[in-house]
Amino acid sequence: MKRKLRSGMSASLLAVAACVALHSPHSLAARDAQTILKETCQGCHTPEADNALSRISHQRKTPEGWLMSIARMQTMHGLQISDEDRRTLVKYLADTQGLAPSETDGVRYAMERRLNTVEQFDEKTSQMCGRCHSGARVALQRRPAQEWERLVNFHLGQWPSLEYQALARDRDWFDIARKEMVPLLAKRYPLDNPAWKKWQSVAPKSDALVGDWSFSGHVPGKGELAGVMSVTVDGSDTFKVSVKGQYADGTPFNGDGSAILYTGYEWRGNVTIDGVTMRQVFAAQGNAMQGRMFEAEHDERGLDFVAAKQGSSRLLAVQPGYLKAGSETEVTLIGSGLTGKPNFGKGVEVVEVVEQSADRIKVKLKAAANAQPGLREVTLGTLKGPSLSVYNKIDAVKVVPEFSVARIGEGGGSTPKVQGRFDAEAWGKGADGKPYRIGVFPAQWKVEAFDDRAKEDDDVKFAGTMQADAGVFTPGDAGPNPARKMSTNNAGNLKVIAAVDDEGKSLTGEGHMIVTVQRWNSPPIP
Ligand code: HEC
Ligand code: HEC
């Protein structure tokens, strides 16, 4: 497999070729990584032809995936390695044995730490592999059959009781894993994939990312924001970053930090916004960056982020993205290279251009009383992308996320609480009778007992507090609570209820939140 992948090239040649393609540091850093591999890994991993090492040279994964493997070598196998050497290795391995952007499609939520994602895998993968960790952890790796098989063997060897736990008693886990999962995984996630080869030859230079980026974001429980992120070079594949933005209500969103680029597109930043360190996990490709930015200590607090490089022409967002028929409102178009007058379709008229620059256009809109309800494409010359929804009345309210997990914490312990963060989405009914999303509305929030058990145990009283005007739930303290039955902890099972006002009529939506114990083990890929 290795020979096929490298088509006869030696590993060091490949390393140099990949470095040239990725424009990562000169071969010096690559040699450094080679030295580290020889000196710290080769003791256990057998050298093979073409400068390869057993196991290590036959897998591809994300920077987080490589970090987890090496960290496991430290915690389980006694590997000694400095943090600096580990950083060098992760960078080198992610660059030379990473995933192509398309290979991460649909599973980036795991790296972006969207921990409330309800995964969609086939039944077998979910039951066999998704009971202990995310299915994304599997989908973010590429291996030949033999390496998938060794991974299965490692699971059972490392956790011999696996077949008796994790609800696995209902099946012959090992047999199914070897006979059915291995071929399936090797076919679905093969080491050898043209997409990776192609990416290695087309990956742009990292300095293509230098410049100003116009961005748009949305923070659940807080609202929309926009601004400019400036990127300057600070070494090879490393950058200085400065963010200047503001929320729709004018609150500033400013800060500075640094970032590093793995695999030619995996942007990982650390930016301190108003004294709080936030991580950036973006895919940076061409003139577009997209992903999530979240607090380092509280990954549940974060924003969806999308950015366009200044100098390119792109329409990113319309804030807010909705308008009531028969009313007037101001909306802002965010993007780059914006010129001209936007068009919002029939029945929505631009009354006034309030403000206009290449990054944003603020307009006052008027929707005719008979404007057709539904989603309409917003266009600006040839640019399009975002939509505007026009509505008559709100038909339904949805709590997002519909199902979520919050966690108790602190209470004398070092693990922080994990909050619940919610949005109330209004939905309308189109002329065709089909539901469409209007957008996020302000709401009044509360929690209720999810079932009789929760009622009997008074979960509402103990599990935490919902901020009535913001959809932010802060769980109770960790540890036993003498005020509860049998001094149990402050866990609970709750309904999350949002009430949205539509001209005097209140509509409610309902979600489900489990308030549970601390996450003791929080690896980079859940
Ligand atoms: C003390 C022995 C030891 C050292 C040193 C060591 N490893 Fe390992 N490695 C193992 C063993 C044992 C396994 C198989 C069990 C497992 O996967 O944990 C393994 C497996 C692996 C795997 C395959 C994991 C998988 O998911 O299939 C990778 C990748 C790896 N090692 C990387 C490294 C790297 C990189 C280094 C050097 C920084 C290193 N190892 C150093 C013992 C070691
Ligand atoms: C009994 C629980 C359990 C089950 C079932 C399970 N895993 Fe794991 N898996 C783990 C644990 C624990 C780790 C190690 C995490 C760490 O290194 O921090 C792991 C690690 C992994 C890794 C990362 C290995 C590396 O170093 O790159 C992959 C990939 C993986 N599992 C795939 C699978 C697949 C595929 C299946 C189904 C065939 C599966 N897992 C089933 C518990 C489980």
Side-chain angles (χ1 to χ4, degrees), residues 59 61 65-66 68-73 75-76 125 127-133 137-138 141 143 148 151-152 154-155 159 162 165-166 173 177 181 185 521 523:
Q59 318 188 342
K61 45 193 133 184
W66 282 113
M68 278 179 69
S69 295
I70 300 177
R72 189 167 83 247
M73 298 301 118
T75 57
M76 288 185 182
T125 308
Q127 297 302 333
M128 289 292 293
C129 312
R131 284 174 170 178
C132 298
H133 48 68
R137 185 186 287 183
V138 185
Q141 299 225 349
R143 308 164 177 244
W148 284 115
L151 178 78
V152 165
F154 146 75
H155 274 73
W159 301 288
L162 179 158
Q165 64 191 45
W173 187 89
M181 288 311 297
L185 294 167
N521 176 352

mmCIF file of all heavy atoms in Angstrom, residues 59 61 65-66 68-73 75-76 125 127-133 137-138 141 143 148 151-152 154-155 159 162 165-166 173 177 181 185 521 523, ligand 2:
data_model
loop_
_atom_site.group_PDB
_atom_site.id
_atom_site.type_symbol
_atom_site.label_atom_id
_atom_site.label_comp_id
_atom_site.label_asym_id
_atom_site.label_seq_id
_atom_site.Cartn_x
_atom_site.Cartn_y
_atom_site.Cartn_z
ATOM 1 N N GLN A 59 -0.870 5.416 7.867
ATOM 2 C CA GLN A 59 -2.122 6.039 8.280
ATOM 3 C C GLN A 59 -2.082 7.505 7.872
ATOM 4 O O GLN A 59 -1.019 8.095 7.772
ATOM 5 C CB GLN A 59 -2.271 5.996 9.812
ATOM 6 C CG GLN A 59 -1.869 4.692 10.439
ATOM 7 C CD GLN A 59 -2.212 4.620 11.916
ATOM 8 O OE1 GLN A 59 -2.452 5.634 12.554
ATOM 9 N NE2 GLN A 59 -2.247 3.417 12.447
ATOM 10 N N LYS A 61 -4.245 11.175 8.975
ATOM 11 C CA LYS A 61 -5.274 11.750 9.854
ATOM 12 C C LYS A 61 -5.075 13.241 10.046
ATOM 13 O O LYS A 61 -4.126 13.829 9.544
ATOM 14 C CB LYS A 61 -5.352 11.008 11.185
ATOM 15 C CG LYS A 61 -4.041 10.679 11.884
ATOM 16 C CD LYS A 61 -4.268 9.672 13.026
ATOM 17 C CE LYS A 61 -3.272 8.537 13.002
ATOM 18 N NZ LYS A 61 -3.502 7.512 14.003
ATOM 19 N N GLY A 65 -5.914 14.217 15.229
ATOM 20 C CA GLY A 65 -5.773 12.763 15.232
ATOM 21 C C GLY A 65 -4.333 12.359 15.544
ATOM 22 O O GLY A 65 -4.083 11.470 16.367
ATOM 23 N N TRP A 66 -3.371 13.039 14.921
ATOM 24 C CA TRP A 66 -1.959 12.730 15.192
ATOM 25 C C TRP A 66 -1.608 13.063 16.633
ATOM 26 O O TRP A 66 -0.889 12.322 17.309
ATOM 27 C CB TRP A 66 -1.039 13.484 14.214
ATOM 28 C CG TRP A 66 -0.992 12.839 12.865
ATOM 29 C CD1 TRP A 66 -1.459 13.342 11.688
ATOM 30 C CD2 TRP A 66 -0.463 11.529 12.564
ATOM 31 N NE1 TRP A 66 -1.260 12.437 10.669
ATOM 32 C CE2 TRP A 66 -0.654 11.331 11.167
ATOM 33 C CE3 TRP A 66 0.136 10.529 13.313
ATOM 34 C CZ2 TRP A 66 -0.247 10.146 10.538
ATOM 35 C CZ3 TRP A 66 0.536 9.352 12.672
ATOM 36 C CH2 TRP A 66 0.348 9.171 11.310
ATOM 37 N N MET A 68 -3.548 12.960 19.167
ATOM 38 C CA MET A 68 -4.115 11.931 20.049
ATOM 39 C C MET A 68 -3.300 10.643 20.023
ATOM 40 O O MET A 68 -3.094 10.026 21.056
ATOM 41 C CB MET A 68 -5.563 11.637 19.651
ATOM 42 C CG MET A 68 -6.537 12.627 20.224
ATOM 43 S SD MET A 68 -8.225 12.257 19.724
ATOM 44 C CE MET A 68 -8.533 10.741 20.629
ATOM 45 N N SER A 69 -2.858 10.245 18.827
ATOM 46 C CA SER A 69 -2.062 9.009 18.746
ATOM 47 C C SER A 69 -0.781 9.148 19.553
ATOM 48 O O SER A 69 -0.412 8.253 20.316
ATOM 49 C CB SER A 69 -1.692 8.683 17.301
ATOM 50 O OG SER A 69 -2.829 8.397 16.536
ATOM 51 N N ILE A 70 -0.097 10.295 19.368
ATOM 52 C CA ILE A 70 1.189 10.458 20.061
ATOM 53 C C ILE A 70 0.953 10.591 21.567
ATOM 54 O O ILE A 70 1.694 10.032 22.377
ATOM 55 C CB ILE A 70 1.984 11.655 19.486
ATOM 56 C CG1 ILE A 70 2.264 11.403 17.985
ATOM 57 C CG2 ILE A 70 3.294 11.847 20.238
ATOM 58 C CD1 ILE A 70 2.967 12.542 17.275
ATOM 59 N N ALA A 71 -0.112 11.302 21.940
ATOM 60 C CA ALA A 71 -0.410 11.426 23.370
ATOM 61 C C ALA A 71 -0.687 10.048 23.970
ATOM 62 O O ALA A 71 -0.331 9.765 25.111
ATOM 63 C CB ALA A 71 -1.607 12.355 23.577
ATOM 64 N N ARG A 72 -1.334 9.159 23.170
ATOM 65 C CA ARG A 72 -1.575 7.814 23.684
ATOM 66 C C ARG A 72 -0.264 7.060 23.873
ATOM 67 O O ARG A 72 -0.108 6.275 24.813
ATOM 68 C CB ARG A 72 -2.505 7.041 22.754
ATOM 69 C CG ARG A 72 -2.923 5.734 23.392
ATOM 70 C CD ARG A 72 -4.068 5.051 22.695
ATOM 71 N NE ARG A 72 -3.624 4.278 21.561
ATOM 72 C CZ ARG A 72 -3.916 4.564 20.299
ATOM 73 N NH1 ARG A 72 -4.665 5.606 20.023
ATOM 74 N NH2 ARG A 72 -3.470 3.815 19.322
ATOM 75 N N MET A 73 0.701 7.286 22.959
ATOM 76 C CA MET A 73 2.004 6.651 23.117
ATOM 77 C C MET A 73 2.604 7.057 24.459
ATOM 78 O O MET A 73 3.247 6.270 25.144
ATOM 79 C CB MET A 73 2.961 7.072 21.984
ATOM 80 C CG MET A 73 2.517 6.668 20.580
ATOM 81 S SD MET A 73 2.306 4.913 20.386
ATOM 82 C CE MET A 73 0.568 4.814 19.986
ATOM 83 N N THR A 75 0.810 8.251 27.254
ATOM 84 C CA THR A 75 0.056 7.818 28.428
ATOM 85 C C THR A 75 0.015 6.300 28.558
ATOM 86 O O THR A 75 -0.010 5.785 29.670
ATOM 87 C CB THR A 75 -1.390 8.345 28.395
ATOM 88 O OG1 THR A 75 -2.009 7.912 27.182
ATOM 89 C CG2 THR A 75 -1.444 9.859 28.456
ATOM 90 N N MET A 76 0.008 5.563 27.432
ATOM 91 C CA MET A 76 -0.162 4.116 27.537
ATOM 92 C C MET A 76 1.117 3.326 27.353
ATOM 93 O O MET A 76 1.227 2.225 27.848
ATOM 94 C CB MET A 76 -1.193 3.630 26.520
ATOM 95 C CG MET A 76 -2.595 4.028 26.884
ATOM 96 S SD MET A 76 -3.732 3.291 25.710
ATOM 97 C CE MET A 76 -5.274 3.942 26.328
ATOM 98 N N THR A 125 -22.028 0.979 11.948
ATOM 99 C CA THR A 125 -20.918 1.798 12.441
ATOM 100 C C THR A 125 -21.301 2.455 13.768
ATOM 101 O O THR A 125 -20.502 2.500 14.706
ATOM 102 C CB THR A 125 -20.530 2.870 11.397
ATOM 103 O OG1 THR A 125 -20.322 2.236 10.136
ATOM 104 C CG2 THR A 125 -19.269 3.598 11.791
ATOM 105 N N GLN A 127 -23.413 1.395 16.053
ATOM 106 C CA GLN A 127 -23.470 0.430 17.155
ATOM 107 C C GLN A 127 -22.098 -0.137 17.492
ATOM 108 O O GLN A 127 -21.783 -0.341 18.656
ATOM 109 C CB GLN A 127 -24.429 -0.724 16.808
ATOM 110 C CG GLN A 127 -25.873 -0.298 16.601
ATOM 111 C CD GLN A 127 -26.475 0.400 17.816
ATOM 112 O OE1 GLN A 127 -26.067 0.161 18.953
ATOM 113 N NE2 GLN A 127 -27.419 1.288 17.578
ATOM 114 N N MET A 128 -21.291 -0.376 16.486
ATOM 115 C CA MET A 128 -19.996 -1.023 16.717
ATOM 116 C C MET A 128 -18.934 -0.026 17.181
ATOM 117 O O MET A 128 -18.072 -0.359 17.984
ATOM 118 C CB MET A 128 -19.507 -1.692 15.422
ATOM 119 C CG MET A 128 -20.295 -2.924 15.021
ATOM 120 S SD MET A 128 -20.030 -4.284 16.181
ATOM 121 C CE MET A 128 -18.292 -4.653 15.877
ATOM 122 N N CYS A 129 -18.966 1.184 16.652
ATOM 123 C CA CYS A 129 -17.866 2.126 16.890
ATOM 124 C C CYS A 129 -18.326 3.429 17.534
ATOM 125 O O CYS A 129 -17.507 4.182 18.039
ATOM 126 C CB CYS A 129 -17.137 2.444 15.579
ATOM 127 S SG CYS A 129 -16.707 0.988 14.609
ATOM 128 N N GLY A 130 -19.629 3.711 17.500
ATOM 129 C CA GLY A 130 -20.086 5.013 17.982
ATOM 130 C C GLY A 130 -20.668 4.990 19.378
ATOM 131 O O GLY A 130 -21.325 5.928 19.798
ATOM 132 N N ARG A 131 -20.439 3.893 20.117
ATOM 133 C CA ARG A 131 -20.983 3.848 21.472
ATOM 134 C C ARG A 131 -20.017 4.446 22.486
ATOM 135 O O ARG A 131 -20.436 4.890 23.548
ATOM 136 C CB ARG A 131 -21.291 2.403 21.862
ATOM 137 C CG ARG A 131 -22.554 1.874 21.214
ATOM 138 C CD ARG A 131 -22.707 0.404 21.529
ATOM 139 N NE ARG A 131 -24.032 -0.082 21.122
ATOM 140 C CZ ARG A 131 -24.409 -1.345 21.255
ATOM 141 N NH1 ARG A 131 -23.586 -2.233 21.762
ATOM 142 N NH2 ARG A 131 -25.609 -1.720 20.870
ATOM 143 N N CYS A 132 -18.712 4.384 22.184
ATOM 144 C CA CYS A 132 -17.725 4.895 23.148
ATOM 145 C C CYS A 132 -17.236 6.283 22.755
ATOM 146 O O CYS A 132 -16.899 7.088 23.598
ATOM 147 C CB CYS A 132 -16.514 3.976 23.216
ATOM 148 S SG CYS A 132 -16.892 2.312 23.771
ATOM 149 N N HIS A 133 -17.099 6.517 21.460
ATOM 150 C CA HIS A 133 -16.631 7.832 21.001
ATOM 151 C C HIS A 133 -17.397 8.208 19.745
ATOM 152 O O HIS A 133 -18.213 7.424 19.255
ATOM 153 C CB HIS A 133 -15.113 7.849 20.769
ATOM 154 C CG HIS A 133 -14.589 6.694 19.958
ATOM 155 N ND1 HIS A 133 -14.875 6.537 18.622
ATOM 156 C CD2 HIS A 133 -13.782 5.654 20.301
ATOM 157 C CE1 HIS A 133 -14.264 5.458 18.181
ATOM 158 N NE2 HIS A 133 -13.599 4.876 19.179
ATOM 159 N N ARG A 137 -14.528 10.374 14.822
ATOM 160 C CA ARG A 137 -13.145 9.976 15.119
ATOM 161 C C ARG A 137 -12.697 8.907 14.124
ATOM 162 O O ARG A 137 -11.540 8.856 13.714
ATOM 163 C CB ARG A 137 -13.036 9.441 16.551
ATOM 164 C CG ARG A 137 -11.606 9.130 16.935
ATOM 165 C CD ARG A 137 -11.494 8.471 18.294
ATOM 166 N NE ARG A 137 -11.730 9.372 19.404
ATOM 167 C CZ ARG A 137 -11.615 9.008 20.684
ATOM 168 N NH1 ARG A 137 -11.256 7.781 20.999
ATOM 169 N NH2 ARG A 137 -11.854 9.882 21.645
ATOM 170 N N VAL A 138 -13.608 8.046 13.736
ATOM 171 C CA VAL A 138 -13.317 6.997 12.757
ATOM 172 C C VAL A 138 -13.231 7.604 11.352
ATOM 173 O O VAL A 138 -12.290 7.350 10.605
ATOM 174 C CB VAL A 138 -14.421 5.920 12.791
ATOM 175 C CG1 VAL A 138 -14.062 4.775 11.857
ATOM 176 C CG2 VAL A 138 -14.662 5.426 14.214
ATOM 177 N N GLN A 141 -10.032 9.337 9.662
ATOM 178 C CA GLN A 141 -8.785 8.594 9.489
ATOM 179 C C GLN A 141 -8.830 7.839 8.175
ATOM 180 O O GLN A 141 -9.897 7.475 7.692
ATOM 181 C CB GLN A 141 -8.628 7.576 10.619
ATOM 182 C CG GLN A 141 -8.570 8.199 11.991
ATOM 183 C CD GLN A 141 -7.469 7.609 12.857
ATOM 184 O OE1 GLN A 141 -6.854 6.587 12.527
ATOM 185 N NE2 GLN A 141 -7.211 8.269 13.967
ATOM 186 N N ARG A 143 -6.841 4.500 6.322
ATOM 187 C CA ARG A 143 -5.920 3.374 6.508
ATOM 188 C C ARG A 143 -6.229 2.269 5.505
ATOM 189 O O ARG A 143 -7.368 2.137 5.074
ATOM 190 C CB ARG A 143 -6.106 2.747 7.907
ATOM 191 C CG ARG A 143 -6.048 3.678 9.064
ATOM 192 C CD ARG A 143 -6.641 2.994 10.308
ATOM 193 N NE ARG A 143 -6.527 3.865 11.461
ATOM 194 C CZ ARG A 143 -5.795 3.602 12.540
ATOM 195 N NH1 ARG A 143 -5.157 2.463 12.657
ATOM 196 N NH2 ARG A 143 -5.729 4.473 13.527
ATOM 197 N N TRP A 148 -6.714 -0.991 9.671
ATOM 198 C CA TRP A 148 -8.018 -0.974 10.363
ATOM 199 C C TRP A 148 -8.112 -2.202 11.258
ATOM 200 O O TRP A 148 -8.643 -2.150 12.360
ATOM 201 C CB TRP A 148 -9.174 -0.937 9.348
ATOM 202 C CG TRP A 148 -9.389 0.415 8.711
ATOM 203 C CD1 TRP A 148 -9.220 0.739 7.398
ATOM 204 C CD2 TRP A 148 -9.819 1.619 9.363
ATOM 205 N NE1 TRP A 148 -9.514 2.069 7.193
ATOM 206 C CE2 TRP A 148 -9.886 2.635 8.382
ATOM 207 C CE3 TRP A 148 -10.135 1.946 10.687
ATOM 208 C CZ2 TRP A 148 -10.258 3.949 8.661
ATOM 209 C CZ3 TRP A 148 -10.520 3.263 10.976
ATOM 210 C CH2 TRP A 148 -10.575 4.239 9.975
ATOM 211 N N LEU A 151 -6.156 -1.765 14.339
ATOM 212 C CA LEU A 151 -6.865 -0.849 15.239
ATOM 213 C C LEU A 151 -7.922 -1.614 16.048
ATOM 214 O O LEU A 151 -8.077 -1.404 17.250
ATOM 215 C CB LEU A 151 -7.527 0.266 14.421
ATOM 216 C CG LEU A 151 -8.355 1.268 15.226
ATOM 217 C CD1 LEU A 151 -7.460 2.283 15.923
ATOM 218 C CD2 LEU A 151 -9.346 1.996 14.335
ATOM 219 N N VAL A 152 -8.618 -2.534 15.379
ATOM 220 C CA VAL A 152 -9.607 -3.363 16.075
ATOM 221 C C VAL A 152 -8.900 -4.209 17.139
ATOM 222 O O VAL A 152 -9.327 -4.284 18.297
ATOM 223 C CB VAL A 152 -10.369 -4.249 15.063
ATOM 224 C CG1 VAL A 152 -11.124 -5.366 15.779
ATOM 225 C CG2 VAL A 152 -11.335 -3.402 14.233
ATOM 226 N N PHE A 154 -6.109 -3.612 18.595
ATOM 227 C CA PHE A 154 -5.659 -2.723 19.667
ATOM 228 C C PHE A 154 -6.803 -2.443 20.649
ATOM 229 O O PHE A 154 -6.612 -2.469 21.862
ATOM 230 C CB PHE A 154 -5.103 -1.417 19.073
ATOM 231 C CG PHE A 154 -5.355 -0.186 19.898
ATOM 232 C CD1 PHE A 154 -4.627 0.051 21.064
ATOM 233 C CD2 PHE A 154 -6.319 0.735 19.525
ATOM 234 C CE1 PHE A 154 -4.880 1.181 21.828
ATOM 235 C CE2 PHE A 154 -6.574 1.860 20.283
ATOM 236 C CZ PHE A 154 -5.856 2.084 21.450
ATOM 237 N N HIS A 155 -8.000 -2.203 20.119
ATOM 238 C CA HIS A 155 -9.140 -1.922 20.999
ATOM 239 C C HIS A 155 -9.373 -3.070 21.989
ATOM 240 O O HIS A 155 -9.530 -2.841 23.181
ATOM 241 C CB HIS A 155 -10.419 -1.697 20.178
ATOM 242 C CG HIS A 155 -10.599 -0.292 19.697
ATOM 243 N ND1 HIS A 155 -9.863 0.254 18.681
ATOM 244 C CD2 HIS A 155 -11.436 0.697 20.115
ATOM 245 C CE1 HIS A 155 -10.247 1.500 18.477
ATOM 246 N NE2 HIS A 155 -11.202 1.806 19.342
ATOM 247 N N TRP A 159 -8.520 -2.882 25.904
ATOM 248 C CA TRP A 159 -9.694 -2.920 26.789
ATOM 249 C C TRP A 159 -10.374 -4.280 26.659
ATOM 250 O O TRP A 159 -11.404 -4.416 25.988
ATOM 251 C CB TRP A 159 -10.674 -1.792 26.416
ATOM 252 C CG TRP A 159 -10.024 -0.445 26.536
ATOM 253 C CD1 TRP A 159 -9.699 0.203 27.692
ATOM 254 C CD2 TRP A 159 -9.595 0.419 25.476
ATOM 255 N NE1 TRP A 159 -9.088 1.400 27.421
ATOM 256 C CE2 TRP A 159 -9.015 1.554 26.067
ATOM 257 C CE3 TRP A 159 -9.628 0.319 24.086
ATOM 258 C CZ2 TRP A 159 -8.473 2.594 25.308
ATOM 259 C CZ3 TRP A 159 -9.097 1.358 23.336
ATOM 260 C CH2 TRP A 159 -8.531 2.474 23.944
ATOM 261 N N LEU A 162 -14.037 -4.886 26.808
ATOM 262 C CA LEU A 162 -14.865 -4.136 25.856
ATOM 263 C C LEU A 162 -16.152 -4.873 25.488
ATOM 264 O O LEU A 162 -17.219 -4.300 25.420
ATOM 265 C CB LEU A 162 -14.020 -3.857 24.620
ATOM 266 C CG LEU A 162 -14.588 -3.096 23.417
ATOM 267 C CD1 LEU A 162 -13.433 -2.499 22.628
ATOM 268 C CD2 LEU A 162 -15.407 -3.961 22.512
ATOM 269 N N GLN A 165 -18.933 -4.552 28.019
ATOM 270 C CA GLN A 165 -19.402 -3.234 28.426
ATOM 271 C C GLN A 165 -19.937 -2.503 27.216
ATOM 272 O O GLN A 165 -20.166 -3.100 26.168
ATOM 273 C CB GLN A 165 -18.257 -2.439 29.074
ATOM 274 C CG GLN A 165 -17.158 -2.169 28.081
ATOM 275 C CD GLN A 165 -15.899 -1.628 28.725
ATOM 276 O OE1 GLN A 165 -15.439 -2.109 29.736
ATOM 277 N NE2 GLN A 165 -15.333 -0.620 28.115
ATOM 278 N N ALA A 166 -20.149 -1.213 27.346
ATOM 279 C CA ALA A 166 -20.564 -0.381 26.229
ATOM 280 C C ALA A 166 -21.721 -1.015 25.464
ATOM 281 O O ALA A 166 -21.808 -0.911 24.254
ATOM 282 C CB ALA A 166 -19.388 -0.121 25.281
ATOM 283 N N TRP A 173 -18.854 -8.718 19.251
ATOM 284 C CA TRP A 173 -18.230 -7.498 18.786
ATOM 285 C C TRP A 173 -16.951 -7.767 17.962
ATOM 286 O O TRP A 173 -16.794 -7.257 16.850
ATOM 287 C CB TRP A 173 -17.895 -6.568 19.973
ATOM 288 C CG TRP A 173 -17.407 -5.210 19.545
ATOM 289 C CD1 TRP A 173 -18.170 -4.106 19.304
ATOM 290 C CD2 TRP A 173 -16.054 -4.813 19.277
ATOM 291 N NE1 TRP A 173 -17.387 -3.058 18.908
ATOM 292 C CE2 TRP A 173 -16.086 -3.456 18.873
ATOM 293 C CE3 TRP A 173 -14.823 -5.472 19.328
ATOM 294 C CZ2 TRP A 173 -14.934 -2.753 18.543
ATOM 295 C CZ3 TRP A 173 -13.666 -4.761 18.981
ATOM 296 C CH2 TRP A 173 -13.742 -3.418 18.597
ATOM 297 N N ALA A 177 -16.425 -6.923 14.135
ATOM 298 C CA ALA A 177 -15.434 -5.874 13.865
ATOM 299 C C ALA A 177 -14.429 -6.345 12.810
ATOM 300 O O ALA A 177 -14.142 -5.628 11.855
ATOM 301 C CB ALA A 177 -14.721 -5.469 15.155
ATOM 302 N N MET A 181 -16.632 -4.913 9.843
ATOM 303 C CA MET A 181 -16.223 -3.508 9.927
ATOM 304 C C MET A 181 -14.925 -3.235 9.164
ATOM 305 O O MET A 181 -14.799 -2.222 8.491
ATOM 306 C CB MET A 181 -16.060 -3.057 11.391
ATOM 307 C CG MET A 181 -17.357 -2.899 12.161
ATOM 308 S SD MET A 181 -18.616 -1.934 11.306
ATOM 309 C CE MET A 181 -17.840 -0.334 11.177
ATOM 310 N N LEU A 185 -14.619 -0.343 6.490
ATOM 311 C CA LEU A 185 -13.803 0.848 6.772
ATOM 312 C C LEU A 185 -12.723 1.037 5.714
ATOM 313 O O LEU A 185 -12.458 2.154 5.267
ATOM 314 C CB LEU A 185 -13.187 0.754 8.168
ATOM 315 C CG LEU A 185 -14.195 0.798 9.334
ATOM 316 C CD1 LEU A 185 -13.531 0.384 10.648
ATOM 317 C CD2 LEU A 185 -14.802 2.187 9.460
ATOM 318 N N ASN A 521 -12.686 13.008 30.671
ATOM 319 C CA ASN A 521 -11.704 12.750 29.644
ATOM 320 C C ASN A 521 -12.188 13.504 28.410
ATOM 321 O O ASN A 521 -13.238 13.201 27.874
ATOM 322 C CB ASN A 521 -11.698 11.227 29.414
ATOM 323 C CG ASN A 521 -10.777 10.828 28.303
ATOM 324 O OD1 ASN A 521 -10.236 11.663 27.580
ATOM 325 N ND2 ASN A 521 -10.600 9.534 28.128
ATOM 326 N N PRO A 523 -10.695 14.325 25.005
ATOM 327 C CA PRO A 523 -9.664 14.310 23.970
ATOM 328 C C PRO A 523 -9.995 15.291 22.842
ATOM 329 O O PRO A 523 -11.149 15.705 22.707
ATOM 330 C CB PRO A 523 -9.704 12.868 23.461
ATOM 331 C CG PRO A 523 -11.062 12.375 23.778
ATOM 332 C CD PRO A 523 -11.522 13.106 24.996
HETATM 333 C C1 HEC B 2 -15.217 0.213 24.300
HETATM 334 C C2 HEC B 2 -15.194 1.525 23.733
HETATM 335 C C3 HEC B 2 -14.775 1.659 22.264
HETATM 336 C C4 HEC B 2 -15.350 1.074 21.161
HETATM 337 C C5 HEC B 2 -16.535 0.128 21.101
HETATM 338 C C6 HEC B 2 -14.599 1.567 20.026
HETATM 339 N N1 HEC B 2 -13.615 2.421 20.437
HETATM 340 FE FE1 HEC B 2 -12.259 3.363 19.260
HETATM 341 N N2 HEC B 2 -11.283 4.088 20.879
HETATM 342 C C7 HEC B 2 -11.681 3.892 22.187
HETATM 343 C C8 HEC B 2 -10.702 4.503 23.062
HETATM 344 C C9 HEC B 2 -10.775 4.538 24.573
HETATM 345 C C10 HEC B 2 -9.688 5.065 22.232
HETATM 346 C C11 HEC B 2 -8.390 5.773 22.653
HETATM 347 C C12 HEC B 2 -8.612 7.225 22.880
HETATM 348 C C13 HEC B 2 -7.351 7.988 23.162
HETATM 349 O O1 HEC B 2 -6.296 7.690 22.588
HETATM 350 O O2 HEC B 2 -7.452 8.926 23.947
HETATM 351 C C14 HEC B 2 -10.108 4.808 20.878
HETATM 352 C C15 HEC B 2 -9.431 5.285 19.765
HETATM 353 C C16 HEC B 2 -9.853 5.118 18.466
HETATM 354 C C17 HEC B 2 -9.223 5.710 17.314
HETATM 355 C C18 HEC B 2 -8.024 6.650 17.316
HETATM 356 C C19 HEC B 2 -6.773 5.823 17.243
HETATM 357 C C20 HEC B 2 -5.534 6.595 16.889
HETATM 358 O O3 HEC B 2 -4.595 6.634 17.658
HETATM 359 O O4 HEC B 2 -5.504 7.162 15.799
HETATM 360 C C21 HEC B 2 -9.920 5.297 16.212
HETATM 361 C C22 HEC B 2 -9.644 5.650 14.764
HETATM 362 C C23 HEC B 2 -10.967 4.423 16.691
HETATM 363 N N3 HEC B 2 -10.925 4.356 18.058
HETATM 364 C C24 HEC B 2 -11.854 3.741 15.867
HETATM 365 C C25 HEC B 2 -12.796 2.821 16.323
HETATM 366 C C26 HEC B 2 -13.536 1.954 15.452
HETATM 367 C C27 HEC B 2 -13.361 1.881 13.950
HETATM 368 C C28 HEC B 2 -14.387 1.235 16.251
HETATM 369 C C29 HEC B 2 -15.399 0.189 15.820
HETATM 370 C C30 HEC B 2 -14.858 -0.917 15.070
HETATM 371 C C31 HEC B 2 -14.160 1.664 17.622
HETATM 372 N N4 HEC B 2 -13.176 2.603 17.614
HETATM 373 C C32 HEC B 2 -14.850 1.190 18.720
HETATM 374 C C33 HEC B 2 -12.814 3.229 22.611
HETATM 375 C C34 HEC B 2 -13.668 2.497 21.805
#
